[in-house]
Amino acid sequence: MHHGDIAGTTVQGPSPLGEHLRTPALRSAMLVQQEALHAAREFLRDHGFVELLPPLMGPVTDPGARGAKPIDVDYYGHPYKLMTSAYLYKQVSLRGFERLFFIAPNVRIEPPETATTGRHLVEFHQIDVEIAGASREEAMETASGLLKHVVTRVCERVPGVLRDLGREPGFFAELLASPFGVLTHAEAVARLRDQGHPQSPDAEIDWVGERTLSEQTARPFFITDYPKGSRGFYDRENAHEPGTLRNFDLIAHGGYGELVSGSERESDYATMIARMRESAENPAKYDWYLRNVKDGIPFGSGFGMGVERLVRFLTGLDAVWKVSAYPKLPGVVAP
């Protein structure tokens, strides 16, 4: 096994690439991933979505990645960024497509300490969905429907592969049989504090808190209404509850943590400028995006579902690098 020394912690990572590609577990995971992506496209196309190919770089990228940094590239003498998330582009794309999705590569320089979470890679992929005119609740319904469809199809199409990986069908029984639960951020914070976990009421649920809540349920659940300031400027503030956002995360059961993050989107130009300034973002950086917002972007909602996290959840493997053919762990240089 390859080992990297990160912040004083020895981290087990993938074997050299040629060896990793020959492992039976990776082959099984790729068969599951293939079926999961097929099922995701099947579900979204059947619900009227159009797949677009996402950009890989741009003058600015999504600033909302927890502690991660973008990679700079020289684009004919202009400082561009590799996409940490194609969010800005999918929102602007609502001007031409009312229901759209990407299966998008993302590159983020994650803090080295995230190498030990089992849930972070420097390169990963998302199923990015955007819906014009949709409320948060409609986006949540789409996300839960998508997950249920993927689980159903994977269990139907590759049951032997799942069995070989040790994933029993019963693990998904409540997911398929019941609606997903909903906790507000405030309720999640209170639950964690009651258990002795020092979760801040003003920040996103931390990794330990997410895992703790995830281990205490037999089916996925949503966390909603994160506090303003904990997420990006594009998550729409609740007009009836100032200080909270019309957003959500979908948390998998079994200790697997966040699979999906989404929200209603802010689309008002003046509000967007104010939110950028509140979050110490320079509006000038977002010139191309703000020009589109000013010209008129439809109100809507959307979400991103992490592909590697989804496949890890489906297979039961204990780290996302095990479900990536070409894994790059935070803080560990790899080909």
Side-chain angles (χ1 to χ4, degrees), residues 155-237:
C155 289
E156 288 174 350
R157 291 167 177 165
V158 286
V161 174
L162 293 179
R163 279 196 303 272
D164 290 345
L165 289 164
R167 176 59 91 209
E168 295 299 327
F171 180 76
F172 302 114
E174 287 203 33
L175 179 156
L176 295 172
S178 308
F180 297 167
V182 181
L183 280 179
T184 65
H185 179 273
E187 289 169 338
V189 169
R191 185 174 294 185
L192 288 168
R193 288 187 159 194
D194 286 346
Q195 297 176 48
H197 180 69
Q199 172 64 48
S200 168
D202 302 316
E204 292 188 291
I205 306 298
D206 61 34
W207 314 124
V208 174
E210 262 187 25
R211 185 175 68 244
T212 298
L213 294 172
S214 177
E215 288 170 343
Q216 296 171 354
T217 180
R219 70 181 191 277
F221 65 95
F222 290 100
I223 300 177
T224 64
D225 302 305
Y226 283 76
K228 186 179 177 183
S230 68
R231 291 285 174 93
F233 58 77
Y234 43 76
D235 283 13
R236 185 166 173 259
E237 187 172 5

Side-chain angles (χ1 to χ4, degrees), residues 12-90:
Q12 284 202 335
S15 304
L17 186 59
E19 294 177 28
H20 175 62
L21 289 167
R22 293 197 298 271
T23 58
L26 178 67
R27 176 171 175 77
S28 294
M30 293 302 92
L31 293 175
V32 171
Q33 177 178 278
Q34 177 174 264
E35 295 301 337
L37 291 176
H38 178 70
R41 286 187 164 103
E42 180 180 69
F43 176 87
L44 291 167
R45 290 183 63 178
D46 285 351
H47 286 77
F49 288 86
V50 175
E51 181 174 5
L52 303 181
L53 297 178
L56 302 181
M57 61 180 178
V60 70
T61 186
D62 176 4
R66 289 190 207 185
K69 297 178 181 177
I71 292 178
D72 296 321
V73 294
D74 184 323
Y75 182 59
Y76 299 111
H78 294 270
Y80 269 42
K81 309 283 186 186
L82 294 183
M83 290 294 104
T84 61
S85 157
Y87 164 73
L88 301 175
Y89 287 90
K90 66 174 181 170

Side-chain angles (χ1 to χ4, degrees), residues 195-315:
Q195 297 176 48
H197 180 69
Q199 172 64 48
S200 168
D202 302 316
E204 292 188 291
I205 306 298
D206 61 34
W207 314 124
V208 174
E210 262 187 25
R211 185 175 68 244
T212 298
L213 294 172
S214 177
E215 288 170 343
Q216 296 171 354
T217 180
R219 70 181 191 277
F221 65 95
F222 290 100
I223 300 177
T224 64
D225 302 305
Y226 283 76
K228 186 179 177 183
S230 68
R231 291 285 174 93
F233 58 77
Y234 43 76
D235 283 13
R236 185 166 173 259
E237 187 172 5
N238 190 333
H240 304 292
E241 294 181 37
T244 64
L245 300 170
R246 292 278 295 165
N247 59 4
F248 64 91
D249 280 354
L250 178 57
I251 310 297
H253 64 288
Y256 290 89
E258 177 202 318
L259 287 182
V260 174
S261 188
S263 71
E264 285 181 10
R265 313 305 196 182
E266 184 53 66
S267 56
D268 177 72
Y269 177 79
T271 305
M272 185 85 75
I273 294 289
R275 290 285 303 281
M276 284 182 173
R277 289 177 173 149
E278 287 172 1
S279 60
E281 286 290 336
N282 179 5
K285 288 197 318 183
Y286 297 89
D287 177 63
W288 77 268
Y289 169 71
L290 288 171
R291 278 188 277 113
N292 278 278
V293 173
K294 193 171 187 178
D295 287 344
I297 289 176
F299 166 79
S301 298
F303 60 86
M305 176 181 286
V307 172
E308 287 82 2
R309 290 185 181 184
L310 172 64
V311 177
R312 180 193 171 207
F313 172 68
L314 292 168
T315 60

Side-chain angles (χ1 to χ4, degrees), residues 310-328:
L310 172 64
V311 177
R312 180 193 171 207
F313 172 68
L314 292 168
T315 60
L317 294 172
D318 61 4
V320 285
W321 68 258
K322 293 185 179 181
V323 299
S324 172
Y326 314 104
K328 288 183 174 64

